[in-house]
Amino acid sequence: MSEAMIQISGLSKSFGPLEVLRDIDLEVERGEVVCIIGPSGSGKSTLLRCVNLLEEPSAGKVVVDGVELTDPETDLDAARRHIGMVFQQFNLFTHLHVLDNLTIAQRKVLNRDKAEAERVARHNLERVGLAEKANAMPAQLSGGQQQRVAIARALSMNPRVMLFDEPTSALDPELVGDVLGVMRQLADEGMTMLVVTHEMQFAREVADRVLFMDGGGIVEQGPPSEVIGNPKQERTRTFLARVLDPTHTHVAD
């Protein structure tokens, strides 16, 4: 087996007295797509943010592509260049055209010249189906288009791994499919992806592995056919019953 792209061991995170993550161990292989599901407050987004140290773990170790991000000697800015992240909100610079949104980090962080940065940006806009929007302002785009621009911006930094934090949760339902289509394409191309999502159909069809989190820990993990299709843990079954059939009510015994 090849060395994992992401290696997490003994990861814990507390905010004051509140323990959000407890003793998480996780490995993600190169080219693997792992979807994280679970109720709000289960620690999913915090886990994702600890992978690139947007949140500093209280304990444990995080290694991405052979670099230990939790080592105080590590140059975090250099390490993060290889980790793309897409958030719930699009975080585009509203005063810049789409093309400028995609080139500014390339030029400032990767020191690419303008021509090379624009070439890479246009290529990635084409990948997400928005080549014709290079000169548009973010306000002229739908939410789904803005999220696809955010994905293209992340790809323009040539990441080795992509982190997605509920990338469709802020979108109108009719716009979700276009964003998931881009993510599906990235998975087909072999991108290593760690995805926090409520989109169960996407997790079923695209994920190599699904993790169910609750209470700051991993309750269950395995192939989608098992975790979503035939979960072993009662907590997983209860969650999926509510997500897959929102009109179904559960009455306590």
Side-chain angles (χ1 to χ4, degrees):
M1 182 179 292
S2 62
E3 179 185 307
M5 177 63 81
I6 300 172
Q7 297 169 294
I8 297 169
S9 54
L11 179 68
S12 297
K13 174 64 181 177
S14 296
F15 296 101
L18 180 63
E19 188 179 42
V20 180
L21 295 174
R22 6 176 219 93
D23 201 25
I24 298 286
D25 294 320
L26 174 64
E27 291 197 353
V28 180
E29 295 298 317
R30 295 178 190 276
E32 188 178 19
V33 177
V34 176
C35 284
I36 306 173
I37 64 173
S40 297
S42 59
K44 307 183 302 294
S45 292
T46 301
L47 172 59
L48 207 68
R49 292 170 67 87
C50 283
V51 172
N52 60 3
L53 258 66
L54 287 179
E55 294 288 358
E56 186 171 347
S58 303
K61 186 165 76 169
V62 177
V63 178
V64 179
D65 199 22
V67 177
E68 184 186 341
L69 274 71
T70 40
D71 183 343
E73 301 298 315
T74 295
D75 182 342
L76 272 182
D77 289 336
R80 285 187 181 125
R81 292 174 190 173
H82 306 299
I83 306 171
M85 186 156 187
V86 178
F87 300 87
Q88 295 178 36
Q89 301 301 327
F90 323 123
N91 296 334
L92 300 178
F93 293 112
T94 57
H95 64 291
L96 296 179
H97 290 89
V98 166
L99 192 65
D100 292 334
N101 265 283
L102 267 68
T103 58
I104 186 168
Q106 293 187 65
R107 297 179 68 183
K108 291 182 177 294
V109 178
L110 301 182
N111 296 316
R112 288 177 179 156
D113 62 38
K114 182 179 180 182
E116 173 67 3
E118 289 192 358
R119 184 192 68 76
V120 171
R122 290 184 187 279
H123 168 70
N124 285 305
L125 284 173
E126 188 169 344
R127 288 174 76 182
V128 302
L130 293 174
E132 77 286 359
K133 298 295 186 182
N135 296 316
M137 299 298 288
Q140 297 172 307
L141 305 178
S142 70
Q145 289 172 328
Q146 290 188 58
Q147 191 62 295
R148 284 150 65 196
V149 168
I151 294 173
R153 177 180 59 185
L155 293 174
S156 293
M157 301 298 286
N158 297 118
R160 296 169 189 163
V161 59
M162 286 285 286
L163 311 176
F164 292 90
D165 187 6
E166 297 188 27
T168 60
S169 64
L171 302 180
D172 292 335
E174 63 184 9
L175 302 176
V176 168
D178 290 338
V179 173
L180 294 180
V182 170
M183 295 170 63
R184 185 188 303 263
Q185 175 187 327
L186 291 178
D188 289 343
E189 293 171 0
M191 177 65 74
T192 306
M193 294 164 57
L194 193 56
V195 184
V196 172
T197 185
H198 292 296
E199 302 290 342
M200 294 299 144
Q201 193 62 29
F202 175 84
R204 277 184 194 269
E205 296 176 359
V206 180
D208 297 298
R209 184 159 38 117
V210 172
L211 310 184
F212 173 68
M213 289 187 65
D214 191 37
I218 298 173
V219 175
E220 186 167 355
Q221 63 176 302
S225 59
E226 294 180 9
V227 175
I228 299 176
N230 186 30
K232 296 180 176 64
Q233 301 298 321
E234 177 61 27
R235 182 65 188 95
T236 315
R237 289 196 290 270
T238 302
F239 170 78
L240 288 169
R242 288 176 173 161
V243 171
L244 299 175
D245 183 9
T247 62
H248 187 69
T249 56
H250 295 256
V251 179
D253 293 333

